[in-house]
Amino acid sequence: MLPLSRAAWAAAVFIALLPTWWLWEEWSAPEPLYTQGVGMESYEDYGYIYGMVRLYSSSNPTPVLSPLVGDLGAVAEVAYWYALPAVLVLAGFLGCLRQSDPEAAGRRIAWGLVAVAAAGPVTAPDFSLTVLSPEWFVAMADCWGRDQVCYLLAALLVLAASLGMPRRPGQAAEGTGLRAAALLADYVIFCAALGLVMPLLPESRDFGGLLSHGEPGTLPVGQDLALLALLFLYVWIPRGTTVGKRLLGLRVEGAGPGKAALRALLFPVAVLWPEYGVLWLAADALWSFADRDGRMLHDRLLGTSVTAR
């Protein structure tokens, strides 16, 4: 590998790490004192913001889309705080060294960084706005800043660095993009199903997202159990080959009844495990960028794989 390519990878890691550094720096800074009556606004007048992600407080939710944006915000918050974009670049570097097509691996990493860059602004507007409304787009555009510039620049460096890496013989890595699209399709289908089931349960509340309700006690016990049971059955009954995977032409191979049950526990465990459940999902996905065959961590551990028909 050329020295210039190594330098580009190192620069991409450093630049992707900057937004987390800035976030930690702001968090560790002493809190300013706000006093009333001397031309200063009170501290209570300021909203709490984690990075670029606001707490969910929807008064005008958009069915399916508001839960999706809320959960995307939970993922973006963890990604920013724990420097996952920089880890993504490192995983991509390892993947380019091991996988047969480094350029394709570089493109997957670049698209991942673009998605992280967009996640902050997409989830930053006030959730009282109707998702995809003109006002929502204006608010989202106002939230683009230095973090997004860093992630997009890191994506360009990754693309440039992967171009000079030699190809290797071997099977092409599994399609990360198709799996991401299948996951999104499954999410929309599942949220639509929950919208029909939740109102039938006692003490029903608005559904604000799977991950955003990961904190124990944020939903009544009946809704917690129903949510987890439905999520488990949705994945387990078809042995992992969910509706979203079928729509995208994907299938799960090597998953017998026992392995299918273990795979189906992945997301319910993440829902039950506040914050760190999202970290587990992130680690599971990041593994696929470094894995020789592009498998996710749970597939590698269980000996299963997701393939195109």
Side-chain angles (χ1 to χ4, degrees):
M1 187 170 57
L2 298 176
L4 184 60
S5 180
R6 294 195 189 98
W9 279 108
V13 172
F14 175 77
I15 293 172
L17 190 61
L18 285 176
T20 299
W21 173 263
W22 292 329
L23 180 59
W24 287 2
E25 197 173 40
E26 293 173 4
W27 176 79
S28 61
E31 294 184 0
L33 295 177
Y34 296 100
T35 57
Q36 297 185 11
V38 291
M40 300 285 290
E41 296 178 351
S42 66
Y43 181 78
E44 288 78 8
D45 290 336
Y46 285 77
Y48 293 95
I49 300 179
Y50 298 124
M52 297 185 67
V53 183
R54 296 175 187 265
L55 286 176
Y56 182 77
S57 59
S58 177
S59 59
N60 185 26
T62 308
V64 179
L65 292 179
S66 286
L68 175 60
V69 172
D71 283 344
L72 180 61
V75 174
E77 180 182 357
V78 171
Y80 279 40
W81 184 257
Y82 291 100
L84 294 186
V87 178
L88 173 62
V89 177
L90 285 173
F93 173 68
L94 294 176
C96 286
L97 291 176
R98 303 180 62 186
Q99 294 177 7
S100 61
D101 190 350
E103 293 184 18
R107 288 193 296 271
R108 289 195 295 272
I109 300 299
W111 276 115
L113 290 169
V114 170
V116 172
V122 166
T123 59
D126 193 330
F127 279 79
S128 63
L129 298 175
T130 301
V131 179
L132 300 184
S133 67
E135 296 81 6
W136 183 85
F137 278 108
V138 171
M140 182 187 70
D142 289 339
C143 295
W144 283 78
R146 62 183 183 178
D147 293 355
Q148 284 63 49
V149 173
C150 286
Y151 292 138
L152 294 179
L153 181 56
L156 291 175
L157 287 170
V158 166
L159 285 176
S162 62
L163 291 177
M165 303 184 73
R167 296 176 63 94
R168 292 169 179 77
Q171 183 179 0
E174 297 173 357
T176 306
L178 283 177
R179 284 180 296 172
L183 177 62
L184 178 60
D186 282 326
Y187 185 97
V188 173
I189 293 168
F190 191 76
C191 284
L194 281 178
L196 298 175
V197 174
M198 284 283 188
L200 303 177
L201 299 174
E203 301 181 13
S204 178
R205 301 179 188 172
D206 290 336
F207 176 63
L210 296 172
L211 299 175
S212 58
H213 280 156
E215 192 72 33
T218 54
L219 281 177
V221 175
Q223 289 193 34
D224 275 330
L225 295 177
L227 173 65
L228 296 175
L230 287 172
L231 189 56
F232 174 80
L233 292 174
Y234 180 80
V235 180
W236 178 60
I237 289 177
R239 296 190 180 182
T241 307
T242 58
V243 177
K245 287 187 176 68
R246 292 181 185 277
L247 290 175
L248 272 296
L250 300 174
R251 67 176 182 270
V252 177
E253 294 185 344
K259 290 183 179 180
L262 290 175
R263 291 180 91 261
L265 284 173
L266 174 65
F267 206 88
V269 168
V271 172
L272 277 174
W273 197 5
E275 183 175 351
Y276 298 105
V278 181
L279 275 179
W280 159 241
L281 290 177
D284 190 44
L286 286 170
W287 177 273
S288 68
F289 291 95
D291 189 88
R292 183 184 299 274
D293 302 318
R295 294 188 189 184
M296 297 183 75
L297 180 58
H298 67 271
D299 283 321
R300 176 60 69 185
L301 293 175
L302 293 174
T304 57
S305 62
V306 177
T307 60
R309 294 177 182 175

